[in-house]
Amino acid sequence: MKDTEDMEGAGASAELRGRFAAEVDWAKVVDPYIPGPDGQYGPDLLERLWSPDLPTADDALATLHFACCGDGGSVRPAAPEVLPFLVEAVRDPAVRVRPQILDTLAVLARAGSEAPARSGPRLGGRWRTAPAAWPAAWEQAVDALLPRLADDVEGEEDVRAGVAAVLARAAYRADDLIGRFLARFEGEPGLSAAERLVLAVGELAPHAVERREDAVAWLRRRTIDAGKGEEPDMDDDIDAWLAWMEQHGHDVRPAAVVALRRALGPL
């Protein structure tokens, strides 16, 4: 078993730590390149993800990322084991590396969606496919992440943007997600999250059945819509600035151009 640091003062509750031990098959959570006991991880790895110390949490996530997807080209057996807790960490404001966790989830989602098509030789072997438990675990993760799209807590914009990026990989739910993304865009207060929603619509549109034309038309409108326009100078006209602040509307034209190209595909 790998040596780990003392976990006193970690942010995970006693109930959560108990679940780490009981609900994860730790025999599957291993370093891909270190065989035997030296490459085996345990519940303390997830505990460190909840650490209030940023370097500790960041190091734990890097280890989990590698255990789950290696260099990013595969979904390893560890992934479905720890995925529910990675999602739970995204939902917990006490976790300090939530946007980075979402980056890992996006990598896993991409690798999982591409794995069935990877049957050609690679480095003398074959591409690794996703484990049998992955599809069900991924489906549960999608459902658990959906409410985070509408989490308007201050400071959560990076999380909402990351959630949109992850959900954009659920191509089999394209029609449902496009509807949710369009609705959320109307109330999204943050520009970066709004841009991510636009890009997500572009990624999902080619996979949609009922909503594809709606999505393409919506993206075309975004390419020419300047939102509420340039911010007035508060010192020059405070009333104009206050009126501008009360409006809602993002200028997402650059993102919309990119998204429209993805939606339309090769010309």
Side-chain angles (χ1 to χ4, degrees):
M1 187 71 65
K2 286 193 171 186
D3 291 335
T4 52
E5 63 188 88
D6 183 3
M7 284 308 305
E8 283 192 13
S13 66
E15 184 270 337
L16 196 53
R17 293 197 299 272
R19 289 178 56 205
F20 296 158
E23 298 178 19
V24 175
D25 182 354
W26 288 100
K28 297 178 180 178
V29 186
V30 299
D31 187 307
Y33 297 114
I34 303 180
D38 288 342
Q40 181 74 57
Y41 297 109
D44 58 300
L45 180 57
L46 282 173
E47 291 176 18
R48 285 188 281 133
L49 191 63
W50 262 260
S51 173
D53 178 63
L54 181 57
T56 297
D58 192 61
D59 179 71
L61 177 59
T63 300
L64 283 162
H65 181 104
F66 192 62
C68 288
C69 55
D71 62 2
S74 61
V75 179
R76 300 187 57 79
E81 295 296 324
V82 300
L83 181 63
F85 292 109
L86 294 178
V87 172
E88 191 152 347
V90 169
R91 299 163 60 186
D92 188 346
V95 176
R96 301 190 63 187
V97 290
R98 287 181 296 155
Q100 294 89 337
I101 293 172
L102 286 161
D103 289 341
T104 291
L105 295 185
V107 171
L108 281 169
R110 182 182 66 249
S113 66
E114 295 174 353
R118 287 180 170 167
S119 57
R122 180 184 189 234
L123 297 180
R126 297 173 67 86
W127 283 102
R128 187 183 303 276
T129 59
W134 175 253
W138 168 237
E139 177 71 15
Q140 292 178 0
V142 169
D143 288 334
L145 287 170
L146 278 171
R148 302 278 73 77
L149 277 178
D151 192 346
D152 287 330
V153 176
E154 186 176 355
E156 295 294 281
E157 182 178 349
D158 287 347
V159 173
R160 294 195 302 274
V163 167
V166 172
L167 293 178
R169 296 293 179 179
Y172 62 97
R173 293 180 61 166
D175 286 298
D176 171 50
L177 289 170
I178 286 172
R180 292 174 183 268
F181 290 163
L182 298 189
R184 177 58 197 176
F185 180 85
E186 296 303 319
E188 173 53 53
L191 176 59
S192 65
E195 289 174 332
R196 187 62 256 185
L197 288 167
V198 169
L199 292 170
V201 171
E203 292 175 28
L204 288 171
H207 307 282
V209 177
E210 299 176 358
R211 301 301 300 266
R212 184 179 185 278
E213 292 185 4
D214 290 344
V216 170
W218 184 83
L219 289 171
R220 289 189 190 280
R221 292 195 296 272
R222 299 287 75 75
T223 64
I224 59 173
D225 183 2
K228 60 182 182 179
E230 186 177 356
E231 180 178 357
D233 191 317
M234 183 173 60
D235 295 331
D236 290 344
D237 191 336
I238 185 63
D239 291 333
W241 182 83
L242 289 172
W244 184 88
M245 288 293 292
E246 290 176 358
Q247 298 178 53
H248 175 75
H250 296 296
D251 183 354
V252 293
R253 288 175 291 180
V257 170
V258 174
L260 185 60
R261 288 174 179 166
R262 293 177 181 173
L264 295 175
L267 297 177

